[in-house]
Amino acid sequence: MPELPEVETVASGLRRTLVGRRIVTVTVRERRLRRPIPHDLAALVSGRAVTSVSRHGKLLRLALDDDGLELVMHLGMSGTVRVQDDSGGLRRHDHVMMALDDGRAVIFHDPRRFGLITVRAAGGAAAEPLGVDPVNGGFTADLLGAVTRGRRRPIKNLLMDQSLIAGLGNIYANEILAVAGVRPGRASGRLSRGQREAIVAATRDVLDAAIRRGGSSISDFHDASGRQGAFQTRFLVYDREGEPCRRCETSIRRRVLGGRSTYYCPRCQR
DNA sequence: CGCACCCCCTGCCGGC
DNA sequence: TGCCGGCAGGGGGTGC
């Protein structure tokens, strides 16, 4: 579910409700996520105030007090975060509950447990190096030229490589290439300059449009207030195998690339 | 270097 | 109905 636009949507909601609030208690009900939640997380976070909420790629970061500590969250495939008015009413797969000083509570929910919650020194060593964030700037045709030069891997796989560009997942990589008119299987190093420029422009346009609509809700993604996104109704190709291309009516094709379902219009994308 | 293939885990959907 | 396989927005590890 959560790619950059969805994480940005969650971050905006958390920013409004959380900045300036103090986290009073942290309850960990299930620590077996992608990596186990550290045993000292509750002790480190309890009693601290959230001073800012930021996002890099698909990572959510809550800065705590001003002493250089931050809470890091990743929503994995099925993670959601919600804010509710009290600290009761916990449901199945609600793994962490943070009670706030205004009586409300922030809840991390993740059925598949591919998500991540940890605490670390702010700006400190990330577990893995993250590439440029395509919304916060830095994703340019020059950069794309530099990271694709001499590479044979399919452009879609490269766009989804978090160590190069942080935040694109399977939905948006497919959609961006559809808007840019580029075949997902195209060898990265063989793109024309015009195609690289089209991909960079499409990335900005698709992500901006998705963020404006609160992301895409497949299954049950929602923002911190429980509202669903609306971008899924505008997909050009994702999950549209056999349906007509919205531009030329040609049947959308599906193939597997890097183990992930890949959709494209064989006529509009070259 | 970059792929295929395996794993992690739950839920849902379609076919039988 | 139920059971089973396949698939799903994530990432990581292995071996070729």
Side-chain angles (χ1 to χ4, degrees):
Chain A
M1 150 211 344
E3 304 181 34
L4 190 152
E6 291 75 38
V7 180
E8 179 65 31
T9 299
V10 171
S12 310
L14 289 182
R15 196 169 290 128
R16 279 192 296 273
T17 58
L18 214 48
V19 172
R21 295 266 65 82
R22 191 166 295 279
I23 297 170
V24 181
T25 59
V26 178
T27 306
V28 178
R29 307 169 77 213
E30 171 62 80
R31 60 178 74 251
R32 296 172 301 165
L33 303 186
R34 192 202 317 166
R35 288 204 297 269
I37 296 176
H39 284 89
D40 58 355
L41 179 130
L44 285 170
V45 171
S46 300
R48 293 179 195 266
V50 178
T51 52
S52 70
V53 176
S54 61
R55 177 198 58 71
H56 185 101
K58 300 172 192 171
L59 272 193
L60 266 172
R61 298 180 301 205
L62 278 53
L64 304 175
D65 289 337
D66 287 314
D67 57 1
L69 212 59
E70 64 185 18
L71 182 68
V72 175
M73 288 192 274
H74 190 292
L75 302 180
M77 196 82 115
S78 57
T80 54
V81 176
R82 73 176 191 275
V83 176
Q84 57 179 45
D85 286 339
D86 56 61
S87 47
L90 291 187
R91 313 198 267 255
R92 187 161 146 81
H93 306 308
D94 285 347
H95 304 316
V96 177
M97 198 245 326
M98 297 187 283
L100 307 178
D101 60 358
D102 61 359
R104 297 203 279 181
V106 176
I107 290 146
F108 178 89
H109 175 94
D110 184 9
R112 293 177 72 180
R113 291 193 272 121
F114 289 171
L116 196 62
I117 299 186
T118 193
V119 64
R120 70 180 190 199
E128 285 82 26
L130 271 190
V132 296
D133 186 285
V135 164
N136 296 342
F139 185 48
T140 62
D142 282 346
L143 174 87
L144 187 56
V147 299
T148 52
R149 192 160 299 134
R151 300 288 161 83
R152 289 194 227 183
R153 68 193 299 202
I155 181 60
K156 174 168 176 267
N157 295 11
L158 186 139
L159 289 176
M160 291 176 65
D161 185 335
Q162 303 299 303
S163 70
L164 300 175
I165 301 141
L168 304 182
N170 200 34
I171 290 178
Y172 294 101
N174 274 300
E175 292 299 305
I176 285 164
L177 291 172
V179 171
V182 175
R183 287 269 176 117
R186 193 63 178 275
S188 302
R190 303 190 63 176
L191 293 167
S192 68
R193 167 144 201 100
Q195 286 180 313
R196 291 195 296 270
E197 286 168 352
I199 288 170
V200 169
T203 299
R204 186 185 56 243
D205 292 349
V206 169
L207 295 181
D208 284 354
I211 290 168
R212 276 199 302 277
R213 287 168 181 76
S216 305
S217 287
I218 294 182
S219 132
D220 58 355
F221 173 76
H222 56 76
D223 68 11
S225 307
R227 278 184 291 270
Q228 305 236 311
F231 192 69
Q232 67 279 7
T233 63
R234 309 176 75 100
F235 290 162
L236 297 183
V237 292
Y238 182 79
D239 202 22
R240 296 195 65 238
E241 181 182 17
E243 295 176 44
C245 169
R246 300 192 198 280
R247 278 225 321 258
C248 75
E249 307 283 301
T250 301
S251 188
I252 298 299
R253 285 196 194 153
R254 172 185 183 272
R255 63 177 287 207
V256 175
L257 223 45
R260 314 294 296 275
S261 286
T262 301
Y263 305 89
Y264 63 100
C265 170
R267 180 154 177 220
C268 295
Q269 295 175 249
R270 296 290 170 181

PDB file of all heavy atoms in Angstrom, chain A residues 4 7 21 24 41 43 59 68 82-83 88 90-91 93 108 114 128 137 140 156 159-160 167 169 183 193 195 209 231:
ATOM      1  N   LEU A   4       5.213   6.658  -1.559  1.00  0.00           N
ATOM      2  CA  LEU A   4       5.445   8.037  -1.138  1.00  0.00           C
ATOM      3  C   LEU A   4       4.163   8.862  -0.905  1.00  0.00           C
ATOM      4  O   LEU A   4       4.031   9.502   0.146  1.00  0.00           O
ATOM      5  CB  LEU A   4       6.365   8.724  -2.154  1.00  0.00           C
ATOM      6  CG  LEU A   4       6.912  10.086  -1.776  1.00  0.00           C
ATOM      7  CD1 LEU A   4       8.246  10.353  -2.449  1.00  0.00           C
ATOM      8  CD2 LEU A   4       5.940  11.201  -2.077  1.00  0.00           C
ATOM      9  N   VAL A   7       2.444   7.776   2.308  1.00  0.00           N
ATOM     10  CA  VAL A   7       3.219   8.132   3.504  1.00  0.00           C
ATOM     11  C   VAL A   7       3.156   9.641   3.731  1.00  0.00           C
ATOM     12  O   VAL A   7       3.038  10.104   4.867  1.00  0.00           O
ATOM     13  CB  VAL A   7       4.675   7.638   3.384  1.00  0.00           C
ATOM     14  CG1 VAL A   7       5.473   8.008   4.634  1.00  0.00           C
ATOM     15  CG2 VAL A   7       4.703   6.125   3.183  1.00  0.00           C
ATOM     16  N   ARG A  21       2.645  17.977  20.863  1.00  0.00           N
ATOM     17  CA  ARG A  21       2.056  17.065  21.842  1.00  0.00           C
ATOM     18  C   ARG A  21       3.146  16.230  22.511  1.00  0.00           C
ATOM     19  O   ARG A  21       4.213  16.001  21.930  1.00  0.00           O
ATOM     20  CB  ARG A  21       1.065  16.116  21.157  1.00  0.00           C
ATOM     21  CG  ARG A  21      -0.158  16.802  20.579  1.00  0.00           C
ATOM     22  CD  ARG A  21      -1.332  16.792  21.563  1.00  0.00           C
ATOM     23  NE  ARG A  21      -1.040  17.573  22.747  1.00  0.00           N
ATOM     24  CZ  ARG A  21      -1.158  18.898  22.822  1.00  0.00           C
ATOM     25  NH1 ARG A  21      -1.539  19.582  21.769  1.00  0.00           N
ATOM     26  NH2 ARG A  21      -0.893  19.523  23.948  1.00  0.00           N
ATOM     27  N   VAL A  24       2.796  10.310  26.224  1.00  0.00           N
ATOM     28  CA  VAL A  24       2.786   9.993  27.660  1.00  0.00           C
ATOM     29  C   VAL A  24       3.206   8.552  27.917  1.00  0.00           C
ATOM     30  O   VAL A  24       4.073   8.288  28.735  1.00  0.00           O
ATOM     31  CB  VAL A  24       1.384  10.256  28.257  1.00  0.00           C
ATOM     32  CG1 VAL A  24       1.387   9.944  29.748  1.00  0.00           C
ATOM     33  CG2 VAL A  24       0.976  11.706  28.017  1.00  0.00           C
ATOM     34  N   LEU A  41      12.378   0.905  23.345  1.00  0.00           N
ATOM     35  CA  LEU A  41      11.664   1.946  22.611  1.00  0.00           C
ATOM     36  C   LEU A  41      10.683   2.707  23.501  1.00  0.00           C
ATOM     37  O   LEU A  41      10.671   3.944  23.520  1.00  0.00           O
ATOM     38  CB  LEU A  41      10.923   1.349  21.406  1.00  0.00           C
ATOM     39  CG  LEU A  41      10.128   2.358  20.578  1.00  0.00           C
ATOM     40  CD1 LEU A  41      10.460   2.223  19.103  1.00  0.00           C
ATOM     41  CD2 LEU A  41       8.634   2.211  20.786  1.00  0.00           C
ATOM     42  N   ALA A  43      10.653   3.086  26.707  1.00  0.00           N
ATOM     43  CA  ALA A  43      11.347   3.902  27.711  1.00  0.00           C
ATOM     44  C   ALA A  43      11.959   5.150  27.074  1.00  0.00           C
ATOM     45  O   ALA A  43      11.958   6.231  27.665  1.00  0.00           O
ATOM     46  CB  ALA A  43      12.434   3.065  28.393  1.00  0.00           C
ATOM     47  N   LEU A  59       9.853   6.487   4.501  1.00  0.00           N
ATOM     48  CA  LEU A  59      10.111   6.535   5.949  1.00  0.00           C
ATOM     49  C   LEU A  59       9.445   7.744   6.585  1.00  0.00           C
ATOM     50  O   LEU A  59       9.562   8.859   6.088  1.00  0.00           O
ATOM     51  CB  LEU A  59      11.614   6.633   6.214  1.00  0.00           C
ATOM     52  CG  LEU A  59      12.449   5.373   6.340  1.00  0.00           C
ATOM     53  CD1 LEU A  59      13.805   5.742   6.911  1.00  0.00           C
ATOM     54  CD2 LEU A  59      11.778   4.324   7.202  1.00  0.00           C
ATOM     55  N   GLY A  68      17.898  15.297  19.678  1.00  0.00           N
ATOM     56  CA  GLY A  68      18.479  14.463  18.639  1.00  0.00           C
ATOM     57  C   GLY A  68      17.994  13.033  18.573  1.00  0.00           C
ATOM     58  O   GLY A  68      18.651  12.176  18.001  1.00  0.00           O
ATOM     59  N   ARG A  82      -3.311   5.562  12.732  1.00  0.00           N
ATOM     60  CA  ARG A  82      -4.520   6.357  12.957  1.00  0.00           C
ATOM     61  C   ARG A  82      -4.419   7.084  14.292  1.00  0.00           C
ATOM     62  O   ARG A  82      -3.730   6.647  15.209  1.00  0.00           O
ATOM     63  CB  ARG A  82      -5.772   5.492  12.897  1.00  0.00           C
ATOM     64  CG  ARG A  82      -5.976   4.575  14.087  1.00  0.00           C
ATOM     65  CD  ARG A  82      -7.312   3.805  13.977  1.00  0.00           C
ATOM     66  NE  ARG A  82      -7.651   3.108  15.215  1.00  0.00           N
ATOM     67  CZ  ARG A  82      -7.201   1.894  15.531  1.00  0.00           C
ATOM     68  NH1 ARG A  82      -6.377   1.247  14.723  1.00  0.00           N
ATOM     69  NH2 ARG A  82      -7.561   1.335  16.673  1.00  0.00           N
ATOM     70  N   VAL A  83      -5.103   8.216  14.331  1.00  0.00           N
ATOM     71  CA  VAL A  83      -5.197   8.977  15.578  1.00  0.00           C
ATOM     72  C   VAL A  83      -6.633   8.823  16.052  1.00  0.00           C
ATOM     73  O   VAL A  83      -7.565   9.014  15.279  1.00  0.00           O
ATOM     74  CB  VAL A  83      -4.892  10.468  15.334  1.00  0.00           C
ATOM     75  CG1 VAL A  83      -5.079  11.260  16.624  1.00  0.00           C
ATOM     76  CG2 VAL A  83      -3.468  10.649  14.809  1.00  0.00           C
ATOM     77  N   GLY A  88      -8.496   3.699  24.102  1.00  0.00           N
ATOM     78  CA  GLY A  88      -9.181   2.407  24.179  1.00  0.00           C
ATOM     79  C   GLY A  88      -9.475   1.869  22.787  1.00  0.00           C
ATOM     80  O   GLY A  88      -8.958   2.373  21.797  1.00  0.00           O
ATOM     81  N   LEU A  90      -8.746  -0.932  21.102  1.00  0.00           N
ATOM     82  CA  LEU A  90      -7.703  -1.496  20.239  1.00  0.00           C
ATOM     83  C   LEU A  90      -8.219  -2.712  19.508  1.00  0.00           C
ATOM     84  O   LEU A  90      -9.019  -3.489  20.029  1.00  0.00           O
ATOM     85  CB  LEU A  90      -6.466  -1.842  21.065  1.00  0.00           C
ATOM     86  CG  LEU A  90      -5.714  -0.634  21.605  1.00  0.00           C
ATOM     87  CD1 LEU A  90      -4.414  -1.078  22.261  1.00  0.00           C
ATOM     88  CD2 LEU A  90      -5.417   0.365  20.490  1.00  0.00           C
ATOM     89  N   ARG A  91      -7.744  -2.864  18.271  1.00  0.00           N
ATOM     90  CA  ARG A  91      -8.202  -3.945  17.412  1.00  0.00           C
ATOM     91  C   ARG A  91      -7.050  -4.899  17.103  1.00  0.00           C
ATOM     92  O   ARG A  91      -5.890  -4.607  17.385  1.00  0.00           O
ATOM     93  CB  ARG A  91      -8.766  -3.366  16.108  1.00  0.00           C
ATOM     94  CG  ARG A  91      -9.717  -2.190  16.342  1.00  0.00           C
ATOM     95  CD  ARG A  91     -10.586  -1.930  15.137  1.00  0.00           C
ATOM     96  NE  ARG A  91     -10.022  -0.933  14.228  1.00  0.00           N
ATOM     97  CZ  ARG A  91     -10.467   0.322  14.131  1.00  0.00           C
ATOM     98  NH1 ARG A  91     -11.438   0.740  14.900  1.00  0.00           N
ATOM     99  NH2 ARG A  91      -9.930   1.141  13.264  1.00  0.00           N
ATOM    100  N   HIS A  93      -4.169  -6.603  15.277  1.00  0.00           N
ATOM    101  CA  HIS A  93      -3.079  -6.032  14.473  1.00  0.00           C
ATOM    102  C   HIS A  93      -2.741  -4.575  14.810  1.00  0.00           C
ATOM    103  O   HIS A  93      -2.012  -3.940  14.075  1.00  0.00           O
ATOM    104  CB  HIS A  93      -3.355  -6.149  12.963  1.00  0.00           C
ATOM    105  CG  HIS A  93      -3.649  -7.546  12.520  1.00  0.00           C
ATOM    106  ND1 HIS A  93      -2.822  -8.616  12.817  1.00  0.00           N
ATOM    107  CD2 HIS A  93      -4.679  -8.059  11.803  1.00  0.00           C
ATOM    108  CE1 HIS A  93      -3.340  -9.723  12.297  1.00  0.00           C
ATOM    109  NE2 HIS A  93      -4.459  -9.412  11.682  1.00  0.00           N
ATOM    110  N   PHE A 108      -0.352   2.292  15.565  1.00  0.00           N
ATOM    111  CA  PHE A 108       0.296   1.662  14.408  1.00  0.00           C
ATOM    112  C   PHE A 108      -0.332   0.295  14.209  1.00  0.00           C
ATOM    113  O   PHE A 108      -0.319  -0.543  15.102  1.00  0.00           O
ATOM    114  CB  PHE A 108       1.801   1.544  14.671  1.00  0.00           C
ATOM    115  CG  PHE A 108       2.558   0.867  13.562  1.00  0.00           C
ATOM    116  CD1 PHE A 108       3.082   1.595  12.501  1.00  0.00           C
ATOM    117  CD2 PHE A 108       2.760  -0.513  13.578  1.00  0.00           C
ATOM    118  CE1 PHE A 108       3.783   0.970  11.472  1.00  0.00           C
ATOM    119  CE2 PHE A 108       3.461  -1.147  12.544  1.00  0.00           C
ATOM    120  CZ  PHE A 108       3.973  -0.401  11.494  1.00  0.00           C
ATOM    121  N   PHE A 114       5.100  -6.305   7.949  1.00  0.00           N
ATOM    122  CA  PHE A 114       6.296  -6.012   7.160  1.00  0.00           C
ATOM    123  C   PHE A 114       6.805  -4.611   7.476  1.00  0.00           C
ATOM    124  O   PHE A 114       7.800  -4.162   6.923  1.00  0.00           O
ATOM    125  CB  PHE A 114       5.981  -6.091   5.657  1.00  0.00           C
ATOM    126  CG  PHE A 114       5.735  -7.485   5.153  1.00  0.00           C
ATOM    127  CD1 PHE A 114       5.252  -7.698   3.872  1.00  0.00           C
ATOM    128  CD2 PHE A 114       6.007  -8.595   5.941  1.00  0.00           C
ATOM    129  CE1 PHE A 114       5.029  -8.980   3.388  1.00  0.00           C
ATOM    130  CE2 PHE A 114       5.778  -9.885   5.469  1.00  0.00           C
ATOM    131  CZ  PHE A 114       5.286 -10.074   4.193  1.00  0.00           C
ATOM    132  N   GLU A 128      19.759   1.489   5.975  1.00  0.00           N
ATOM    133  CA  GLU A 128      20.212   1.373   4.595  1.00  0.00           C
ATOM    134  C   GLU A 128      20.232   2.760   3.970  1.00  0.00           C
ATOM    135  O   GLU A 128      19.413   3.602   4.309  1.00  0.00           O
ATOM    136  CB  GLU A 128      19.274   0.464   3.794  1.00  0.00           C
ATOM    137  CG  GLU A 128      19.449  -1.014   4.101  1.00  0.00           C
ATOM    138  CD  GLU A 128      18.693  -1.427   5.356  1.00  0.00           C
ATOM    139  OE1 GLU A 128      17.700  -0.775   5.688  1.00  0.00           O
ATOM    140  OE2 GLU A 128      19.138  -2.393   6.009  1.00  0.00           O
ATOM    141  N   GLY A 137      12.901  17.237  -3.723  1.00  0.00           N
ATOM    142  CA  GLY A 137      13.893  17.829  -4.622  1.00  0.00           C
ATOM    143  C   GLY A 137      15.068  16.913  -4.867  1.00  0.00           C
ATOM    144  O   GLY A 137      15.294  15.950  -4.152  1.00  0.00           O
ATOM    145  N   THR A 140      16.392  14.953 -10.805  1.00  0.00           N
ATOM    146  CA  THR A 140      16.468  15.723 -12.047  1.00  0.00           C
ATOM    147  C   THR A 140      16.851  14.802 -13.199  1.00  0.00           C
ATOM    148  O   THR A 140      17.293  13.666 -12.978  1.00  0.00           O
ATOM    149  CB  THR A 140      17.561  16.796 -11.928  1.00  0.00           C
ATOM    150  OG1 THR A 140      18.818  16.119 -11.729  1.00  0.00           O
ATOM    151  CG2 THR A 140      17.298  17.726 -10.746  1.00  0.00           C
ATOM    152  N   LYS A 156      11.922   0.366 -14.907  1.00  0.00           N
ATOM    153  CA  LYS A 156      10.974   0.270 -13.788  1.00  0.00           C
ATOM    154  C   LYS A 156      11.674  -0.248 -12.538  1.00  0.00           C
ATOM    155  O   LYS A 156      11.445   0.263 -11.439  1.00  0.00           O
ATOM    156  CB  LYS A 156       9.808  -0.646 -14.160  1.00  0.00           C
ATOM    157  CG  LYS A 156       8.867  -0.904 -12.985  1.00  0.00           C
ATOM    158  CD  LYS A 156       7.583  -1.559 -13.406  1.00  0.00           C
ATOM    159  CE  LYS A 156       6.705  -1.883 -12.212  1.00  0.00           C
ATOM    160  NZ  LYS A 156       6.924  -3.263 -11.721  1.00  0.00           N
ATOM    161  N   LEU A 159      13.670   2.569 -11.049  1.00  0.00           N
ATOM    162  CA  LEU A 159      12.844   3.579 -10.358  1.00  0.00           C
ATOM    163  C   LEU A 159      12.420   3.104  -8.972  1.00  0.00           C
ATOM    164  O   LEU A 159      12.216   3.907  -8.067  1.00  0.00           O
ATOM    165  CB  LEU A 159      11.592   3.911 -11.185  1.00  0.00           C
ATOM    166  CG  LEU A 159      11.797   4.703 -12.475  1.00  0.00           C
ATOM    167  CD1 LEU A 159      10.470   4.858 -13.207  1.00  0.00           C
ATOM    168  CD2 LEU A 159      12.412   6.069 -12.188  1.00  0.00           C
ATOM    169  N   MET A 160      12.304   1.779  -8.821  1.00  0.00           N
ATOM    170  CA  MET A 160      11.858   1.234  -7.531  1.00  0.00           C
ATOM    171  C   MET A 160      13.013   0.926  -6.587  1.00  0.00           C
ATOM    172  O   MET A 160      12.783   0.456  -5.470  1.00  0.00           O
ATOM    173  CB  MET A 160      11.043  -0.044  -7.767  1.00  0.00           C
ATOM    174  CG  MET A 160       9.698   0.236  -8.425  1.00  0.00           C
ATOM    175  SD  MET A 160       8.788  -1.277  -8.818  1.00  0.00           S
ATOM    176  CE  MET A 160       8.491  -1.907  -7.161  1.00  0.00           C
ATOM    177  N   GLY A 167      11.041   6.205  -2.463  1.00  0.00           N
ATOM    178  CA  GLY A 167       9.619   6.488  -2.317  1.00  0.00           C
ATOM    179  C   GLY A 167       8.704   5.857  -3.352  1.00  0.00           C
ATOM    180  O   GLY A 167       7.507   5.735  -3.130  1.00  0.00           O
ATOM    181  N   GLY A 169       7.040   2.924  -5.397  1.00  0.00           N
ATOM    182  CA  GLY A 169       6.769   1.500  -5.294  1.00  0.00           C
ATOM    183  C   GLY A 169       6.107   1.031  -6.578  1.00  0.00           C
ATOM    184  O   GLY A 169       6.176   1.704  -7.603  1.00  0.00           O
ATOM    185  N   ARG A 183       8.239   2.253 -21.992  1.00  0.00           N
ATOM    186  CA  ARG A 183       8.032   0.845 -21.639  1.00  0.00           C
ATOM    187  C   ARG A 183       8.780   0.511 -20.357  1.00  0.00           C
ATOM    188  O   ARG A 183       9.981   0.799 -20.257  1.00  0.00           O
ATOM    189  CB  ARG A 183       8.587  -0.067 -22.736  1.00  0.00           C
ATOM    190  CG  ARG A 183       7.778  -0.115 -23.996  1.00  0.00           C
ATOM    191  CD  ARG A 183       6.752  -1.223 -23.958  1.00  0.00           C
ATOM    192  NE  ARG A 183       5.972  -1.109 -25.189  1.00  0.00           N
ATOM    193  CZ  ARG A 183       5.917  -2.045 -26.134  1.00  0.00           C
ATOM    194  NH1 ARG A 183       6.596  -3.168 -25.987  1.00  0.00           N
ATOM    195  NH2 ARG A 183       5.201  -1.861 -27.201  1.00  0.00           N
ATOM    196  N   ARG A 193      17.482  11.269 -23.940  1.00  0.00           N
ATOM    197  CA  ARG A 193      17.427  12.405 -23.012  1.00  0.00           C
ATOM    198  C   ARG A 193      15.977  12.871 -22.829  1.00  0.00           C
ATOM    199  O   ARG A 193      15.538  13.178 -21.732  1.00  0.00           O
ATOM    200  CB  ARG A 193      18.314  13.552 -23.528  1.00  0.00           C
ATOM    201  CG  ARG A 193      18.090  14.858 -22.821  1.00  0.00           C
ATOM    202  CD  ARG A 193      19.359  15.691 -22.633  1.00  0.00           C
ATOM    203  NE  ARG A 193      19.153  16.651 -21.557  1.00  0.00           N
ATOM    204  CZ  ARG A 193      19.581  16.497 -20.318  1.00  0.00           C
ATOM    205  NH1 ARG A 193      20.272  15.417 -19.995  1.00  0.00           N
ATOM    206  NH2 ARG A 193      19.338  17.401 -19.408  1.00  0.00           N
ATOM    207  N   GLN A 195      13.306  11.089 -23.053  1.00  0.00           N
ATOM    208  CA  GLN A 195      12.574  10.148 -22.200  1.00  0.00           C
ATOM    209  C   GLN A 195      12.925  10.339 -20.732  1.00  0.00           C
ATOM    210  O   GLN A 195      12.066  10.247 -19.863  1.00  0.00           O
ATOM    211  CB  GLN A 195      12.887   8.708 -22.625  1.00  0.00           C
ATOM    212  CG  GLN A 195      12.192   8.317 -23.928  1.00  0.00           C
ATOM    213  CD  GLN A 195      12.516   6.890 -24.338  1.00  0.00           C
ATOM    214  OE1 GLN A 195      13.681   6.482 -24.315  1.00  0.00           O
ATOM    215  NE2 GLN A 195      11.505   6.136 -24.704  1.00  0.00           N
ATOM    216  N   ALA A 209      -0.238  14.828  -8.018  1.00  0.00           N
ATOM    217  CA  ALA A 209      -1.666  14.537  -8.176  1.00  0.00           C
ATOM    218  C   ALA A 209      -2.130  13.537  -7.124  1.00  0.00           C
ATOM    219  O   ALA A 209      -3.215  13.674  -6.548  1.00  0.00           O
ATOM    220  CB  ALA A 209      -1.938  13.997  -9.583  1.00  0.00           C
ATOM    221  N   PHE A 231      -6.855   8.463  -5.335  1.00  0.00           N
ATOM    222  CA  PHE A 231      -6.096   8.412  -6.585  1.00  0.00           C
ATOM    223  C   PHE A 231      -6.280   7.099  -7.343  1.00  0.00           C
ATOM    224  O   PHE A 231      -6.054   7.038  -8.549  1.00  0.00           O
ATOM    225  CB  PHE A 231      -4.608   8.674  -6.321  1.00  0.00           C
ATOM    226  CG  PHE A 231      -3.815   8.930  -7.567  1.00  0.00           C
ATOM    227  CD1 PHE A 231      -4.007  10.095  -8.301  1.00  0.00           C
ATOM    228  CD2 PHE A 231      -2.894   7.999  -8.039  1.00  0.00           C
ATOM    229  CE1 PHE A 231      -3.288  10.336  -9.472  1.00  0.00           C
ATOM    230  CE2 PHE A 231      -2.173   8.229  -9.205  1.00  0.00           C
ATOM    231  CZ  PHE A 231      -2.379   9.399  -9.922  1.00  0.00           C
TER     232      PHE A 231
END
